[in-house]
Short mmCIF file of all heavy atoms in Angstrom, two decimals:
data_model
loop_
_atom_site.label_atom_id
_atom_site.label_comp_id
_atom_site.label_asym_id
_atom_site.label_seq_id
_atom_site.Cartn_x
_atom_site.Cartn_y
_atom_site.Cartn_z
N MET A 1 -112.15 2.09 -88.30
CA MET A 1 -110.85 2.40 -87.79
C MET A 1 -110.71 3.92 -87.91
O MET A 1 -111.01 4.50 -88.95
CB MET A 1 -109.84 1.75 -88.65
CG MET A 1 -108.42 2.06 -88.16
SD MET A 1 -107.03 1.28 -89.18
CE MET A 1 -107.34 -0.39 -89.01
N GLU A 2 -110.31 4.53 -86.80
CA GLU A 2 -110.16 6.08 -86.76
C GLU A 2 -108.89 6.48 -87.43
O GLU A 2 -108.84 7.52 -88.08
CB GLU A 2 -110.31 6.52 -85.42
CG GLU A 2 -111.66 6.37 -84.79
CD GLU A 2 -111.78 6.85 -83.38
OE1 GLU A 2 -110.96 7.81 -83.06
OE2 GLU A 2 -112.61 6.43 -82.66
N GLU A 3 -107.84 5.73 -87.25
CA GLU A 3 -106.49 6.10 -87.74
C GLU A 3 -105.69 4.86 -88.04
O GLU A 3 -105.64 3.90 -87.30
CB GLU A 3 -105.80 6.91 -86.66
CG GLU A 3 -104.49 7.41 -87.09
CD GLU A 3 -103.82 8.32 -85.96
OE1 GLU A 3 -104.53 8.70 -85.06
OE2 GLU A 3 -102.65 8.61 -86.09
N SER A 4 -105.06 4.90 -89.20
CA SER A 4 -104.15 3.72 -89.56
C SER A 4 -102.86 3.82 -88.76
O SER A 4 -102.32 4.89 -88.54
CB SER A 4 -103.88 3.82 -91.12
OG SER A 4 -102.96 2.86 -91.44
N VAL A 5 -102.33 2.68 -88.43
CA VAL A 5 -101.02 2.61 -87.78
C VAL A 5 -99.96 2.04 -88.64
O VAL A 5 -98.83 1.70 -88.24
CB VAL A 5 -101.09 1.79 -86.48
CG1 VAL A 5 -102.02 2.50 -85.50
CG2 VAL A 5 -101.60 0.35 -86.72
N ILE A 6 -100.18 1.96 -89.97
CA ILE A 6 -99.27 1.47 -90.90
C ILE A 6 -97.97 2.37 -90.92
O ILE A 6 -98.06 3.62 -90.93
CB ILE A 6 -99.80 1.42 -92.39
CG1 ILE A 6 -100.89 0.37 -92.45
CG2 ILE A 6 -98.72 1.04 -93.34
CD1 ILE A 6 -101.70 0.28 -93.74
N GLY A 7 -96.85 1.75 -90.75
CA GLY A 7 -95.60 2.52 -90.71
C GLY A 7 -95.12 2.89 -89.32
O GLY A 7 -94.06 3.35 -89.12
N TRP A 8 -96.04 2.70 -88.31
CA TRP A 8 -95.63 2.96 -86.94
C TRP A 8 -94.67 1.92 -86.40
O TRP A 8 -94.63 0.78 -86.92
CB TRP A 8 -96.81 3.08 -86.04
CG TRP A 8 -97.67 4.27 -86.30
CD1 TRP A 8 -97.74 5.12 -87.35
CD2 TRP A 8 -98.64 4.79 -85.36
NE1 TRP A 8 -98.64 6.08 -87.20
CE2 TRP A 8 -99.21 5.86 -85.97
CE3 TRP A 8 -99.04 4.39 -84.10
CZ2 TRP A 8 -100.24 6.63 -85.32
CZ3 TRP A 8 -100.10 5.17 -83.46
CH2 TRP A 8 -100.62 6.26 -84.12
N GLU A 9 -93.91 2.17 -85.40
CA GLU A 9 -93.07 1.23 -84.68
C GLU A 9 -93.76 0.85 -83.36
O GLU A 9 -94.41 1.70 -82.75
CB GLU A 9 -91.82 1.80 -84.40
CG GLU A 9 -90.85 2.00 -85.56
CD GLU A 9 -89.52 2.44 -85.11
OE1 GLU A 9 -89.40 3.68 -84.86
OE2 GLU A 9 -88.60 1.69 -84.92
N GLU A 10 -93.58 -0.40 -83.00
CA GLU A 10 -94.08 -0.74 -81.63
C GLU A 10 -92.85 -1.01 -80.77
O GLU A 10 -91.98 -1.83 -81.09
CB GLU A 10 -94.89 -2.03 -81.70
CG GLU A 10 -95.49 -2.44 -80.33
CD GLU A 10 -96.37 -3.66 -80.47
OE1 GLU A 10 -96.59 -4.15 -81.54
OE2 GLU A 10 -96.88 -4.05 -79.41
N LEU A 11 -92.76 -0.26 -79.72
CA LEU A 11 -91.68 -0.36 -78.71
C LEU A 11 -92.21 -0.65 -77.31
O LEU A 11 -93.25 -0.07 -77.00
CB LEU A 11 -90.87 0.92 -78.66
CG LEU A 11 -90.42 1.47 -80.07
CD1 LEU A 11 -89.81 2.89 -79.92
CD2 LEU A 11 -89.40 0.52 -80.70
N GLU A 12 -91.60 -1.40 -76.55
CA GLU A 12 -92.07 -1.80 -75.24
C GLU A 12 -90.97 -1.64 -74.21
O GLU A 12 -89.77 -2.01 -74.50
CB GLU A 12 -92.64 -3.16 -75.17
CG GLU A 12 -93.81 -3.42 -76.12
CD GLU A 12 -94.19 -4.91 -76.04
OE1 GLU A 12 -94.32 -5.45 -74.95
OE2 GLU A 12 -94.44 -5.53 -77.10
N LEU A 13 -91.30 -1.24 -73.00
CA LEU A 13 -90.38 -1.29 -71.87
C LEU A 13 -91.01 -2.03 -70.75
O LEU A 13 -92.20 -1.84 -70.46
CB LEU A 13 -90.06 0.16 -71.36
CG LEU A 13 -89.01 0.92 -72.13
CD1 LEU A 13 -89.49 1.36 -73.48
CD2 LEU A 13 -88.43 2.05 -71.32
N GLU A 14 -90.38 -3.04 -70.20
CA GLU A 14 -90.82 -3.77 -69.05
C GLU A 14 -90.27 -3.10 -67.82
O GLU A 14 -89.09 -3.16 -67.60
CB GLU A 14 -90.46 -5.22 -69.17
CG GLU A 14 -90.91 -5.96 -70.39
CD GLU A 14 -92.44 -6.20 -70.38
OE1 GLU A 14 -93.04 -6.32 -69.31
OE2 GLU A 14 -93.04 -6.33 -71.47
N VAL A 15 -91.17 -2.56 -67.03
CA VAL A 15 -90.82 -1.77 -65.83
C VAL A 15 -91.29 -2.45 -64.63
O VAL A 15 -92.50 -2.83 -64.54
CB VAL A 15 -91.19 -0.29 -65.94
CG1 VAL A 15 -90.83 0.45 -64.65
CG2 VAL A 15 -90.66 0.37 -67.15
N VAL A 16 -90.49 -2.58 -63.55
CA VAL A 16 -90.88 -3.18 -62.30
C VAL A 16 -90.60 -2.18 -61.21
O VAL A 16 -89.59 -1.48 -61.13
CB VAL A 16 -90.09 -4.50 -62.03
CG1 VAL A 16 -90.45 -4.98 -60.68
CG2 VAL A 16 -90.41 -5.50 -63.14
N ARG A 17 -91.47 -2.03 -60.17
CA ARG A 17 -91.29 -1.25 -59.04
C ARG A 17 -91.34 -2.17 -57.79
O ARG A 17 -92.23 -2.99 -57.68
CB ARG A 17 -92.38 -0.17 -58.89
CG ARG A 17 -92.23 0.75 -57.65
CD ARG A 17 -93.16 1.80 -57.57
NE ARG A 17 -94.58 1.37 -57.76
CZ ARG A 17 -95.49 2.16 -58.18
NH1 ARG A 17 -95.30 3.39 -58.37
NH2 ARG A 17 -96.77 1.76 -58.35
N ASP A 18 -90.43 -2.03 -56.85
CA ASP A 18 -90.40 -2.90 -55.69
C ASP A 18 -91.09 -2.16 -54.52
O ASP A 18 -91.58 -1.07 -54.65
CB ASP A 18 -88.98 -3.33 -55.34
CG ASP A 18 -88.06 -2.18 -54.82
OD1 ASP A 18 -88.55 -1.10 -54.60
OD2 ASP A 18 -86.88 -2.42 -54.66
N ALA A 19 -91.09 -2.83 -53.42
CA ALA A 19 -91.77 -2.33 -52.15
C ALA A 19 -91.20 -1.12 -51.57
O ALA A 19 -91.89 -0.27 -50.96
CB ALA A 19 -91.82 -3.40 -51.05
N ASP A 20 -89.90 -0.80 -51.99
CA ASP A 20 -89.33 0.48 -51.57
C ASP A 20 -89.32 1.53 -52.63
O ASP A 20 -88.69 2.58 -52.56
CB ASP A 20 -87.84 0.21 -51.29
CG ASP A 20 -87.69 -0.67 -50.04
OD1 ASP A 20 -88.49 -0.58 -49.10
OD2 ASP A 20 -86.73 -1.47 -50.09
N ASN A 21 -90.28 1.34 -53.66
CA ASN A 21 -90.56 2.31 -54.66
C ASN A 21 -89.40 2.53 -55.61
O ASN A 21 -89.29 3.56 -56.23
CB ASN A 21 -91.05 3.61 -54.09
CG ASN A 21 -92.01 4.37 -55.06
OD1 ASN A 21 -92.69 3.72 -55.80
ND2 ASN A 21 -91.88 5.69 -55.05
N ARG A 22 -88.45 1.52 -55.67
CA ARG A 22 -87.41 1.66 -56.70
C ARG A 22 -87.86 1.11 -58.00
O ARG A 22 -88.53 0.09 -58.07
CB ARG A 22 -86.16 0.82 -56.16
CG ARG A 22 -85.51 1.45 -54.95
CD ARG A 22 -84.40 0.67 -54.46
NE ARG A 22 -84.96 -0.63 -54.03
CZ ARG A 22 -84.42 -1.38 -53.06
NH1 ARG A 22 -83.23 -1.03 -52.58
NH2 ARG A 22 -84.95 -2.51 -52.77
N LEU A 23 -87.53 1.78 -59.10
CA LEU A 23 -87.89 1.38 -60.47
C LEU A 23 -86.72 0.84 -61.19
O LEU A 23 -85.57 1.29 -61.06
CB LEU A 23 -88.43 2.55 -61.17
CG LEU A 23 -89.75 3.16 -60.68
CD1 LEU A 23 -90.07 4.42 -61.37
CD2 LEU A 23 -90.87 2.14 -60.76
N ILE A 24 -86.98 -0.21 -61.99
CA ILE A 24 -85.97 -0.75 -62.85
C ILE A 24 -86.60 -1.18 -64.20
O ILE A 24 -87.72 -1.58 -64.23
CB ILE A 24 -85.24 -1.98 -62.24
CG1 ILE A 24 -84.07 -2.43 -63.14
CG2 ILE A 24 -86.17 -3.08 -61.95
CD1 ILE A 24 -83.22 -3.54 -62.52
N THR A 25 -85.87 -0.89 -65.27
CA THR A 25 -86.39 -1.33 -66.54
C THR A 25 -85.73 -2.72 -66.80
O THR A 25 -84.50 -2.83 -66.91
CB THR A 25 -85.94 -0.36 -67.70
OG1 THR A 25 -86.40 0.90 -67.37
CG2 THR A 25 -86.48 -0.79 -69.03
N VAL A 26 -86.62 -3.75 -66.84
CA VAL A 26 -86.10 -5.08 -66.99
C VAL A 26 -85.56 -5.33 -68.46
O VAL A 26 -84.51 -5.83 -68.56
CB VAL A 26 -87.25 -6.11 -66.76
CG1 VAL A 26 -86.81 -7.54 -66.93
CG2 VAL A 26 -87.78 -5.90 -65.28
N CYS A 27 -86.31 -4.81 -69.42
CA CYS A 27 -85.84 -4.89 -70.77
C CYS A 27 -86.49 -3.90 -71.69
O CYS A 27 -87.59 -3.43 -71.38
CB CYS A 27 -85.94 -6.32 -71.39
SG CYS A 27 -87.60 -6.88 -71.58
N PHE A 28 -85.85 -3.56 -72.76
CA PHE A 28 -86.31 -2.66 -73.86
C PHE A 28 -86.61 -3.62 -74.98
O PHE A 28 -85.73 -4.38 -75.45
CB PHE A 28 -85.25 -1.68 -74.23
CG PHE A 28 -84.98 -0.68 -73.24
CD1 PHE A 28 -84.14 -0.93 -72.19
CD2 PHE A 28 -85.46 0.66 -73.34
CE1 PHE A 28 -83.80 0.03 -71.28
CE2 PHE A 28 -85.07 1.60 -72.39
CZ PHE A 28 -84.31 1.34 -71.40
N ILE A 29 -87.85 -3.62 -75.52
CA ILE A 29 -88.25 -4.48 -76.58
C ILE A 29 -88.64 -3.69 -77.82
O ILE A 29 -89.41 -2.72 -77.69
CB ILE A 29 -89.47 -5.38 -76.19
CG1 ILE A 29 -89.09 -6.13 -74.88
CG2 ILE A 29 -89.87 -6.35 -77.24
CD1 ILE A 29 -90.30 -6.78 -74.26
N GLU A 30 -88.15 -4.16 -78.97
CA GLU A 30 -88.47 -3.48 -80.28
C GLU A 30 -89.10 -4.57 -81.15
O GLU A 30 -88.50 -5.64 -81.34
CB GLU A 30 -87.16 -2.92 -80.88
CG GLU A 30 -87.32 -2.43 -82.25
CD GLU A 30 -86.05 -1.97 -82.82
OE1 GLU A 30 -84.95 -2.28 -82.25
OE2 GLU A 30 -86.04 -1.32 -83.87
N ASN A 31 -90.24 -4.31 -81.72
CA ASN A 31 -90.85 -5.13 -82.69
C ASN A 31 -90.10 -5.02 -83.99
O ASN A 31 -89.95 -3.79 -84.47
CB ASN A 31 -92.36 -4.90 -82.87
CG ASN A 31 -93.09 -5.47 -81.68
OD1 ASN A 31 -92.60 -5.45 -80.57
ND2 ASN A 31 -94.30 -5.94 -81.95
N ILE A 32 -89.67 -6.01 -84.62
CA ILE A 32 -88.90 -6.02 -85.84
C ILE A 32 -89.83 -5.84 -87.09
O ILE A 32 -89.51 -5.08 -88.03
CB ILE A 32 -88.05 -7.26 -86.05
CG1 ILE A 32 -87.21 -7.48 -84.78
CG2 ILE A 32 -87.23 -7.26 -87.33
CD1 ILE A 32 -86.10 -6.53 -84.56
N ASP A 33 -90.86 -6.60 -87.16
CA ASP A 33 -91.80 -6.60 -88.35
C ASP A 33 -92.70 -5.39 -88.23
O ASP A 33 -92.99 -4.82 -87.22
CB ASP A 33 -92.51 -7.98 -88.49
CG ASP A 33 -93.16 -8.38 -87.23
OD1 ASP A 33 -92.93 -7.77 -86.18
OD2 ASP A 33 -93.94 -9.36 -87.28
N PRO A 34 -93.31 -5.03 -89.39
CA PRO A 34 -94.25 -3.89 -89.36
C PRO A 34 -95.49 -4.25 -88.53
O PRO A 34 -95.88 -5.42 -88.34
CB PRO A 34 -94.67 -3.79 -90.89
CG PRO A 34 -93.65 -4.63 -91.62
CD PRO A 34 -93.10 -5.64 -90.73
N MET A 35 -96.11 -3.20 -88.05
CA MET A 35 -97.26 -3.36 -87.23
C MET A 35 -98.37 -3.99 -88.08
O MET A 35 -98.58 -3.62 -89.26
CB MET A 35 -97.78 -2.02 -86.64
CG MET A 35 -96.88 -1.60 -85.57
SD MET A 35 -97.49 -0.14 -84.69
CE MET A 35 -98.94 -0.84 -83.79
N GLY A 36 -99.14 -4.91 -87.52
CA GLY A 36 -100.18 -5.59 -88.26
C GLY A 36 -101.48 -5.57 -87.37
O GLY A 36 -101.61 -4.73 -86.54
N ILE A 37 -102.23 -6.55 -87.64
CA ILE A 37 -103.50 -6.68 -86.98
C ILE A 37 -103.37 -7.07 -85.49
O ILE A 37 -103.92 -6.53 -84.58
CB ILE A 37 -104.49 -7.70 -87.67
CG1 ILE A 37 -104.77 -7.25 -89.13
CG2 ILE A 37 -105.81 -7.83 -86.94
CD1 ILE A 37 -105.41 -5.89 -89.30
N HIS A 38 -102.55 -8.10 -85.31
CA HIS A 38 -102.25 -8.64 -83.93
C HIS A 38 -100.84 -8.57 -83.61
O HIS A 38 -100.00 -9.26 -84.17
CB HIS A 38 -102.78 -10.07 -83.86
CG HIS A 38 -102.75 -10.60 -82.43
ND1 HIS A 38 -101.64 -11.16 -81.86
CD2 HIS A 38 -103.73 -10.60 -81.48
CE1 HIS A 38 -101.90 -11.49 -80.64
NE2 HIS A 38 -103.12 -11.20 -80.43
N THR A 39 -100.44 -7.65 -82.69
CA THR A 39 -99.04 -7.43 -82.39
C THR A 39 -98.44 -8.56 -81.59
O THR A 39 -97.22 -8.68 -81.48
CB THR A 39 -98.80 -6.11 -81.65
OG1 THR A 39 -99.60 -6.19 -80.42
CG2 THR A 39 -99.23 -4.94 -82.45
N GLY A 40 -99.26 -9.44 -81.02
CA GLY A 40 -98.76 -10.58 -80.28
C GLY A 40 -98.03 -11.61 -81.15
O GLY A 40 -97.30 -12.48 -80.61
N ASP A 41 -98.18 -11.50 -82.44
CA ASP A 41 -97.54 -12.39 -83.37
C ASP A 41 -96.25 -11.83 -83.99
O ASP A 41 -95.72 -12.31 -84.88
CB ASP A 41 -98.52 -12.79 -84.52
CG ASP A 41 -99.69 -13.45 -84.02
OD1 ASP A 41 -99.62 -14.18 -82.96
OD2 ASP A 41 -100.79 -13.42 -84.67
N SER A 42 -95.75 -10.73 -83.42
CA SER A 42 -94.62 -10.03 -83.98
C SER A 42 -93.33 -10.68 -83.57
O SER A 42 -93.18 -11.24 -82.50
CB SER A 42 -94.66 -8.55 -83.54
OG SER A 42 -95.80 -7.94 -83.95
N PHE A 43 -92.26 -10.41 -84.43
CA PHE A 43 -90.92 -10.73 -84.07
C PHE A 43 -90.33 -9.62 -83.28
O PHE A 43 -90.48 -8.43 -83.68
CB PHE A 43 -90.10 -11.02 -85.32
CG PHE A 43 -90.48 -12.22 -86.11
CD1 PHE A 43 -91.29 -12.06 -87.30
CD2 PHE A 43 -90.10 -13.47 -85.73
CE1 PHE A 43 -91.67 -13.18 -87.99
CE2 PHE A 43 -90.52 -14.62 -86.41
CZ PHE A 43 -91.30 -14.41 -87.55
N CYS A 44 -89.68 -9.90 -82.19
CA CYS A 44 -89.20 -8.80 -81.28
C CYS A 44 -87.70 -9.05 -81.10
O CYS A 44 -87.16 -10.13 -81.20
CB CYS A 44 -89.92 -8.90 -79.91
SG CYS A 44 -91.63 -8.68 -80.06
N ALA A 45 -87.04 -7.91 -80.69
CA ALA A 45 -85.64 -7.97 -80.27
C ALA A 45 -85.57 -7.25 -78.93
O ALA A 45 -86.18 -6.20 -78.71
CB ALA A 45 -84.77 -7.25 -81.27
N ALA A 46 -84.85 -7.88 -78.00
CA ALA A 46 -84.53 -7.28 -76.80
C ALA A 46 -83.05 -7.55 -76.49
O ALA A 46 -82.68 -8.64 -76.39
CB ALA A 46 -85.39 -7.85 -75.61
N PRO A 47 -82.22 -6.56 -76.37
CA PRO A 47 -82.54 -5.07 -76.36
C PRO A 47 -82.88 -4.53 -77.74
O PRO A 47 -82.77 -5.20 -78.74
CB PRO A 47 -81.24 -4.48 -75.85
CG PRO A 47 -80.20 -5.46 -76.30
CD PRO A 47 -80.78 -6.78 -76.32
N MET A 48 -83.31 -3.27 -77.73
CA MET A 48 -83.65 -2.60 -78.98
C MET A 48 -82.43 -2.51 -79.90
O MET A 48 -81.31 -2.25 -79.31
CB MET A 48 -84.20 -1.22 -78.71
CG MET A 48 -85.54 -1.19 -77.97
SD MET A 48 -86.11 0.48 -77.62
CE MET A 48 -87.67 0.13 -76.82
N LEU A 49 -82.59 -2.70 -81.15
CA LEU A 49 -81.46 -2.73 -82.04
C LEU A 49 -81.27 -1.51 -82.84
O LEU A 49 -80.17 -1.02 -83.22
CB LEU A 49 -81.53 -3.92 -82.97
CG LEU A 49 -81.56 -5.30 -82.34
CD1 LEU A 49 -81.78 -6.36 -83.36
CD2 LEU A 49 -80.28 -5.52 -81.55
N THR A 50 -82.39 -0.81 -83.20
CA THR A 50 -82.32 0.37 -84.11
C THR A 50 -82.79 1.61 -83.49
O THR A 50 -82.75 2.65 -84.15
CB THR A 50 -83.14 0.06 -85.44
OG1 THR A 50 -84.50 -0.01 -85.02
CG2 THR A 50 -82.74 -1.26 -86.06
N VAL A 51 -83.20 1.62 -82.22
CA VAL A 51 -83.71 2.80 -81.61
C VAL A 51 -82.54 3.55 -80.90
O VAL A 51 -81.79 2.94 -80.17
CB VAL A 51 -84.77 2.44 -80.55
CG1 VAL A 51 -85.31 3.65 -79.81
CG2 VAL A 51 -85.90 1.70 -81.20
N PRO A 52 -82.39 4.82 -81.28
CA PRO A 52 -81.25 5.61 -80.67
C PRO A 52 -81.33 5.62 -79.14
O PRO A 52 -82.41 5.67 -78.54
CB PRO A 52 -81.45 7.02 -81.27
CG PRO A 52 -82.43 6.85 -82.42
CD PRO A 52 -83.19 5.61 -82.17
N VAL A 53 -80.18 5.67 -78.54
CA VAL A 53 -80.11 5.73 -76.99
C VAL A 53 -80.87 6.88 -76.48
O VAL A 53 -81.60 6.69 -75.47
CB VAL A 53 -78.66 5.76 -76.58
CG1 VAL A 53 -78.53 5.97 -75.08
CG2 VAL A 53 -77.90 4.48 -77.02
N GLU A 54 -80.84 8.02 -77.09
CA GLU A 54 -81.62 9.21 -76.61
C GLU A 54 -83.08 8.93 -76.56
O GLU A 54 -83.78 9.31 -75.56
CB GLU A 54 -81.35 10.45 -77.52
CG GLU A 54 -79.87 10.86 -77.55
CD GLU A 54 -78.99 10.00 -78.45
OE1 GLU A 54 -79.46 9.37 -79.38
OE2 GLU A 54 -77.73 10.13 -78.29
N LEU A 55 -83.62 8.26 -77.52
CA LEU A 55 -85.02 7.89 -77.56
C LEU A 55 -85.32 6.85 -76.44
O LEU A 55 -86.38 6.94 -75.81
CB LEU A 55 -85.50 7.46 -78.91
CG LEU A 55 -86.97 6.98 -79.01
CD1 LEU A 55 -87.89 8.05 -78.57
CD2 LEU A 55 -87.34 6.57 -80.47
N GLN A 56 -84.47 5.88 -76.35
CA GLN A 56 -84.65 4.88 -75.28
C GLN A 56 -84.63 5.57 -73.86
O GLN A 56 -85.52 5.21 -73.03
CB GLN A 56 -83.53 3.88 -75.30
CG GLN A 56 -83.62 2.99 -76.55
CD GLN A 56 -82.51 1.91 -76.49
OE1 GLN A 56 -82.17 1.35 -75.51
NE2 GLN A 56 -81.91 1.66 -77.69
N GLN A 57 -83.80 6.55 -73.64
CA GLN A 57 -83.81 7.24 -72.40
C GLN A 57 -85.09 8.06 -72.19
O GLN A 57 -85.69 8.04 -71.06
CB GLN A 57 -82.61 8.15 -72.23
CG GLN A 57 -81.33 7.45 -72.23
CD GLN A 57 -80.10 8.27 -72.37
OE1 GLN A 57 -80.16 9.41 -72.85
NE2 GLN A 57 -78.91 7.71 -72.11
N ARG A 58 -85.59 8.66 -73.22
CA ARG A 58 -86.87 9.43 -73.21
C ARG A 58 -88.02 8.49 -72.90
O ARG A 58 -88.86 8.79 -72.07
CB ARG A 58 -87.07 10.19 -74.53
CG ARG A 58 -88.05 11.26 -74.37
CD ARG A 58 -87.99 12.18 -75.59
NE ARG A 58 -89.17 11.79 -76.47
CZ ARG A 58 -89.16 11.83 -77.72
NH1 ARG A 58 -88.11 12.17 -78.44
NH2 ARG A 58 -90.20 11.43 -78.41
N LEU A 59 -87.99 7.27 -73.51
CA LEU A 59 -89.05 6.35 -73.25
C LEU A 59 -88.99 5.86 -71.83
O LEU A 59 -90.05 5.63 -71.15
CB LEU A 59 -88.92 5.13 -74.19
CG LEU A 59 -89.25 5.44 -75.64
CD1 LEU A 59 -88.76 4.20 -76.52
CD2 LEU A 59 -90.70 5.63 -75.89
N GLN A 60 -87.82 5.66 -71.26
CA GLN A 60 -87.68 5.23 -69.92
C GLN A 60 -88.17 6.25 -68.92
O GLN A 60 -88.91 5.87 -67.99
CB GLN A 60 -86.16 4.91 -69.63
CG GLN A 60 -86.01 4.24 -68.21
CD GLN A 60 -84.51 3.84 -68.01
OE1 GLN A 60 -83.59 4.52 -68.43
NE2 GLN A 60 -84.37 2.64 -67.52
N ARG A 61 -87.85 7.51 -69.17
CA ARG A 61 -88.34 8.58 -68.27
C ARG A 61 -89.89 8.59 -68.29
O ARG A 61 -90.50 8.73 -67.24
CB ARG A 61 -87.79 9.94 -68.67
CG ARG A 61 -86.34 10.12 -68.25
CD ARG A 61 -85.84 11.54 -68.43
NE ARG A 61 -86.02 12.07 -69.80
CZ ARG A 61 -85.11 11.95 -70.77
NH1 ARG A 61 -83.94 11.32 -70.53
NH2 ARG A 61 -85.29 12.41 -71.93
N ALA A 62 -90.43 8.47 -69.51
CA ALA A 62 -91.90 8.49 -69.68
C ALA A 62 -92.58 7.32 -68.97
O ALA A 62 -93.59 7.39 -68.31
CB ALA A 62 -92.28 8.56 -71.13
N SER A 63 -91.95 6.12 -69.13
CA SER A 63 -92.51 4.91 -68.53
C SER A 63 -92.42 4.97 -67.00
O SER A 63 -93.34 4.59 -66.31
CB SER A 63 -91.81 3.63 -69.02
OG SER A 63 -90.46 3.57 -68.59
N TYR A 64 -91.39 5.55 -66.50
CA TYR A 64 -91.29 5.74 -64.99
C TYR A 64 -92.34 6.72 -64.50
O TYR A 64 -92.92 6.53 -63.43
CB TYR A 64 -89.89 6.26 -64.62
CG TYR A 64 -88.80 5.15 -64.66
CD1 TYR A 64 -89.04 3.93 -65.18
CD2 TYR A 64 -87.55 5.36 -64.12
CE1 TYR A 64 -88.06 2.94 -65.26
CE2 TYR A 64 -86.56 4.44 -64.22
CZ TYR A 64 -86.85 3.16 -64.74
OH TYR A 64 -85.80 2.21 -64.73
N ALA A 65 -92.60 7.72 -65.23
CA ALA A 65 -93.66 8.75 -64.83
C ALA A 65 -95.03 8.05 -64.89
O ALA A 65 -95.82 8.31 -64.03
CB ALA A 65 -93.61 9.94 -65.84
N ILE A 66 -95.26 7.22 -65.85
CA ILE A 66 -96.53 6.44 -65.97
C ILE A 66 -96.69 5.54 -64.69
O ILE A 66 -97.71 5.46 -64.06
CB ILE A 66 -96.63 5.65 -67.30
CG1 ILE A 66 -96.78 6.68 -68.39
CG2 ILE A 66 -97.80 4.69 -67.21
CD1 ILE A 66 -96.63 6.07 -69.79
N VAL A 67 -95.57 4.83 -64.36
CA VAL A 67 -95.61 3.93 -63.20
C VAL A 67 -95.92 4.74 -61.90
O VAL A 67 -96.70 4.31 -61.06
CB VAL A 67 -94.38 3.10 -63.12
CG1 VAL A 67 -94.36 2.34 -61.72
CG2 VAL A 67 -94.20 2.12 -64.28
N ASP A 68 -95.35 5.90 -61.80
CA ASP A 68 -95.57 6.77 -60.65
C ASP A 68 -97.00 7.17 -60.58
O ASP A 68 -97.51 7.39 -59.46
CB ASP A 68 -94.61 7.99 -60.71
CG ASP A 68 -93.21 7.59 -60.24
OD1 ASP A 68 -92.98 6.55 -59.57
OD2 ASP A 68 -92.30 8.41 -60.57
N LEU A 69 -97.64 7.40 -61.67
CA LEU A 69 -99.10 7.75 -61.67
C LEU A 69 -99.99 6.66 -61.12
O LEU A 69 -101.00 6.94 -60.52
CB LEU A 69 -99.57 8.08 -63.06
CG LEU A 69 -99.03 9.36 -63.70
CD1 LEU A 69 -99.46 9.49 -65.14
CD2 LEU A 69 -99.45 10.59 -62.96
N SER A 70 -99.50 5.41 -61.22
CA SER A 70 -100.38 4.28 -60.72
C SER A 70 -100.15 3.99 -59.22
O SER A 70 -100.79 3.11 -58.75
CB SER A 70 -100.04 3.06 -61.61
OG SER A 70 -98.71 2.62 -61.38
N ALA A 71 -99.33 4.80 -58.58
CA ALA A 71 -98.99 4.55 -57.25
C ALA A 71 -100.14 5.00 -56.32
O ALA A 71 -100.89 5.79 -56.55
CB ALA A 71 -97.73 5.27 -56.77
#
């Protein structure tokens, strides 16, 4: 392992783009439990409960930029 992820948070945004290139964030997901070996077994909350709105907006802008790169 090159770097430990203990103490990190796992946050997810589900983003969809339609045929007219419109983007929408379907949901903001926050993992409640600490990061472990397999994140698929985590408890999640949607919408995010403890993440500040400003950070959610920053994550949304970044995720839209990433989706635009895949066009």
